[in-house]
Structures are given as structure tokens and as C-alpha cells.
Amino acid sequence: DAQQLASGLMFPSSFTFGAATAAYQVEGGLDNCNWSRWDALQKRPDGGTPVHGGQRAGLACDMWNKFEEDVESMKRLGIKMYRFSVEWSRVEPKQGEFDAAAIARYVEWCKMLVEAGIEPMITLHHFTEPCWFCDLGGWEVRANTEHFRAFSARVVSKLAPFCSKWCTINELNGYVVCGYMAGVHPPGKKSVLTMLRVAFNMLLAHRLAFEVRRASLSTFPQQAQFSPENEER
């Protein structure tokens, strides 16, 4: 039945098939972020298990070193767009110190995708942030949104020439509910008031990142993707 249903599906010629990943899920070697700390816990604050079976992300599928192979897989799949997140803890491992080699690697990714006929789409925050950011109070502190703006500005300045589609924050609602109300994601808190504060601050951070991206359009006008209708929403 499923095959019969699928055979009758028709997609418009303008439809773009793609795939998406989060850095912590696939890159490997990320040991300086909130999720690496979470993986290392024996118990959550409420006594539960942080990750099923005590598993760790570890090397994951080592995309950081095997991206060339992954691009070939994407080509075989026939996808035309790939969304990936730029890992904040890799790009800015210490507060105010940016890793030029890490940024250059992401530039390579974008170039490889474009050359393969696959459009890159970049996510600036996909559930992870650096440990130093967490130690400053994370998203609970409004002033910390400026750190996300600075990170976004650095990434946009380097990757905007190759990418026109951007996602500021992935699934903000899931992040705040799971991390600050249900307590099953880092930092494992259960407070409605804290959740609301974090949500508000992350919305401010979204706006800051959006403004960074929009400002870059004067430098890279060929990448303009905004319309007056969309800007009003």
C-alpha cells in the first residue's frame, strides 16, 4: 500500500529534495560543548539517564574528516540541498578566540557542495553551545546574546559568499522545553520561568543573527533572499 501511495505522489519541478544534519550528531570529536558535558554525566539532575544506554557521540560518523565522501553520497542520492550546522564550540573554542582553520574547513564544505550542484544551507545554532558560554550563564543571561551575535557575524562574513539560505536557531521550542522544563536535555532544568527567560533571550539572539545576515547583503547582493513581504513577518 505504501509503495502504491508513493508511486502516485507528484512533486512540482521547483521542489527541492535535501537532507539535514546537526554538527554534534555527525562531525565527531566535539568535546567542548554543552552536549559533551551532558553525555559525560552519570545521572541527570532529576536522577534519570542523560543518554540512553550511556552512549557518547564520540567520533560519530567522522564527517569532519570524511566530508568529501559524504558529498559523493549526496550526489548519488540526488539531493540538491544540504543543511548543516556550524559548530560554535569548534569555531570559537574560547571566548573571543576564533579558530581560522575550523572556519576554513566549513568554507571548503560550502565550495564542495556548490561544485557538486548541491546548495548549502547553514544553521548557526543546533542545540549546542561552547562550554565557556554555559559557564557564563548561557541563554539565561540576556547579555550573552551578544556572544551569539559575534559568532554569527564571524560565520556570516566567511560563508555568505557561498550560501544564501540560513537558519539562525534550530527548533528553539524543542530546545527550551526539553532543556528547561522537561529536564531531559542539557542543562536538565525544570523551571517554567527559566524556560520563558531562555526562550525570550534566544528570540533576541535570533533577531541579532538575522540583522547580521541582512547587513551582509550589502556586501554580497547576489545572495539576497529577503522580500518586503517576508521581512514584515
Side-chain angles (χ1 to χ4, degrees):
D1 293 341
Q3 289 181 339
Q4 290 180 346
L5 179 62
S7 65
L9 292 176
M10 297 293 293
F11 291 88
S13 59
S14 59
F15 189 88
T16 301
F17 284 94
T21 58
Y24 195 68
Q25 297 171 340
V26 296
E27 284 189 8
L30 297 174
D31 57 3
N32 185 32
C33 66
N34 57 333
W35 265 96
S36 62
R37 281 183 173 178
W38 185 256
D39 283 354
L41 293 177
Q42 296 298 315
K43 296 289 184 180
R44 298 194 312 242
D46 65 1
T49 303
V51 180
H52 178 71
Q55 299 178 48
R56 304 284 297 273
L59 281 177
C61 52
D62 199 21
M63 178 175 274
W64 187 249
N65 297 306
K66 298 181 178 180
F67 192 74
E68 290 80 358
E69 298 175 33
D70 293 321
V71 171
E72 292 302 314
S73 296
M74 294 180 209
K75 289 165 63 176
R76 288 194 297 271
L77 286 171
I79 65 173
K80 295 300 180 183
M81 183 175 294
Y82 174 59
R83 179 169 77 99
F84 65 92
S85 62
V86 170
E87 176 55 39
W88 188 358
S89 68
R90 194 186 287 280
V91 169
E92 191 180 4
K94 295 181 180 179
Q95 182 181 348
E97 297 182 14
F98 293 92
D99 188 324
I103 296 174
R105 179 61 170 161
Y106 286 119
V107 170
E108 289 179 357
W109 286 16
C110 289
K111 289 181 177 179
M112 283 187 278
L113 289 168
V114 172
E115 290 173 0
I118 302 169
E119 185 174 4
M121 180 178 182
I122 294 170
T123 304
L124 292 169
H125 182 279
H126 199 140
F127 291 173
T128 55
E129 52 260 354
C131 288
W132 63 261
F133 181 81
C134 300
D135 293 340
L136 292 174
W139 296 110
E140 295 179 47
V141 180
R142 181 171 178 173
N144 286 343
T145 58
E146 175 59 24
H147 296 303
F148 185 67
R149 187 211 63 78
F151 159 72
S152 299
R154 183 62 62 98
V155 173
V156 168
S157 70
K158 300 298 183 182
L159 302 188
F162 314 99
C163 180
S164 64
K165 293 181 173 61
W166 296 74
C167 173
T168 55
I169 298 173
N170 177 82
E171 295 177 0
L172 186 154
N173 56 340
Y175 177 92
V176 298
V177 169
C178 291
Y180 292 88
M181 188 171 76
V184 295
H185 284 183
K189 296 187 176 182
K190 295 184 177 183
S191 168
V192 173
L193 290 179
T194 303
M195 179 193 71
L196 293 175
R197 183 185 306 115
V198 168
F200 179 79
N201 290 338
M202 292 187 79
L203 287 170
L204 292 179
H206 156 74
R207 181 66 187 183
L208 291 172
F210 170 81
E211 290 173 348
V212 164
R213 172 62 186 129
R214 182 162 60 176
S216 75
L217 297 178
S218 61
T219 305
F220 310 108
Q222 75 279 11
Q223 300 291 351
Q225 292 291 315
F226 299 105
S227 68
E229 178 183 4
N230 290 335
E231 289 188 39
E232 293 300 322
R233 293 180 179 177

